[in-house]
Amino acid sequence: DADVTQTPRNRITKTGKRIMLECSQTKGHDRMYWYRQDPGLGLRLIYYSFDVKDINKGEISDGYSVSRQAQAKFSLSLESAIPNQTALYFCATSDRDTNTGELFFGEGSRLTVL
Amino acid sequence: AQSVTQLGSHVSVSEGALVLLRCNYSSSVPPYLFWYVQYPNQGLQLLLKYTSAATLVKGINGFEAEFKKSETSFHLTKPSAHMSDAAEYFCAVRGGYQKVTFGTGTKLQVIP
């Protein structure tokens, strides 16, 4: 089983719908991240969480919200999806103890907003 | 603040030729630097990382990168390209507070 699991892997939805992307990890890391990948733009940070009570906005947080339900679970929500949120979304974790910033990624959730 | 610039969104090499993917960084603190690879329909996996130890870093699959502070560069190389190296490669920098910033990526095409 993957250490970082994202669900769903693919989702097609309509404008205005609420969408939740879920991430769970078995690596025991305290730090979790949500990134968005768009062609030609690389990965951009949406939100990050250094522990259950510490959640921070990244560079492109508008239109998104997150919930850290437990150390192992970090969900990303789109309250009212719009077409320009069509993208590939990645959850990642890192280990505070090693403190290098090395990220461990899930396999991604491809979201299409019609 | 930190940033990464990857020169060339697409690079094509012949099988067996040298691979050179360029990355320049900007960071207000001593950086940690990374190269990640993304194969089609997969997540990103770490190729190698620089964490202020040796400036020449060796990674998986025969890749290596050299940290050059004077040039603010961290270019990725492989002496001989293989067809299986075709993928997208991302350079990334960790500055303050463990926030990691990615470059825009370079797609490597390997021509038989």
Side-chain angles (χ1 to χ4, degrees):
Chain A
D1 290 339
D3 293 325
V4 183
T5 303
Q6 294 184 229
T7 57
R9 294 292 312 281
N10 288 281
R11 182 71 182 269
I12 299 174
T13 191
K14 295 182 178 180
T15 297
K17 293 292 187 181
R18 184 177 186 273
I19 294 296
M20 178 180 286
L21 306 180
E22 299 184 328
C23 177
S24 62
Q25 53 114 346
T26 59
K27 298 191 73 66
H29 290 168
D30 53 338
R31 300 180 173 190
M32 298 186 74
Y33 309 79
W34 276 104
Y35 282 90
R36 167 179 173 159
Q37 183 180 15
D38 298 278
L41 297 180
L43 279 78
R44 293 178 291 167
L45 183 62
I46 306 172
Y47 271 95
Y48 60 104
S49 171
F50 284 178
D51 66 39
V52 174
K53 295 181 180 180
D54 180 21
I55 293 178
N56 305 279
K57 293 182 177 180
E59 59 183 304
I60 56 164
S61 59
D62 288 348
Y64 301 94
S65 62
V66 291
S67 173
R68 186 83 183 264
Q69 301 96 323
Q71 187 196 36
K73 295 184 181 296
F74 192 37
S75 300
L76 177 72
S77 293
L78 289 67
E79 296 301 325
S80 180
I82 57 176
N84 77 359
Q85 291 178 313
T86 292
L88 182 58
Y89 291 85
F90 284 103
C91 176
T93 70
S94 69
D95 184 359
R96 174 184 60 186
D97 290 340
T98 61
N99 201 35
T100 65
E102 178 183 347
L103 297 171
F104 297 83
F105 285 87
E107 294 191 342
S109 296
R110 185 170 296 280
L111 177 66
T112 303
V113 183
L114 301 177
Chain B
Q2 62 210 41
S3 65
V4 167
T5 301
Q6 291 185 241
L7 299 176
S9 58
H10 291 80
V11 171
S12 294
V13 300
S14 297
E15 190 174 17
L18 172 71
V19 176
L20 171 60
L21 304 183
R22 300 178 186 274
C23 173
N24 288 90
Y25 71 90
S26 171
S27 177
S28 57
V29 299
Y32 288 175
L33 294 158
F34 308 87
W35 276 99
Y36 288 87
V37 60
Q38 183 181 28
Y39 299 104
N41 300 314
Q42 295 187 23
L44 282 75
Q45 63 183 83
L46 185 72
L47 266 182
L48 49 80
K49 61 185 177 186
Y50 166 76
T51 57
S52 75
T55 57
L56 182 61
V57 181
K58 295 187 183 298
I60 62 172
N61 301 334
F63 284 93
E64 62 181 37
E66 186 172 10
F67 173 70
K68 292 186 176 181
K69 184 178 180 180
S70 61
E71 299 177 8
T72 61
S73 69
F74 191 57
H75 301 330
L76 181 70
T77 61
K78 182 175 180 177
S80 176
H82 191 274
M83 295 299 295
S84 61
D85 295 327
E88 190 162 16
Y89 293 80
F90 293 92
C91 183
V93 60
R94 192 211 90 173
Y97 206 44
Q98 274 217 15
K99 287 176 63 176
V100 176
T101 300
F102 286 82
T104 53
T106 298
K107 287 189 177 179
L108 177 66
Q109 179 185 23
V110 182
I111 303 167

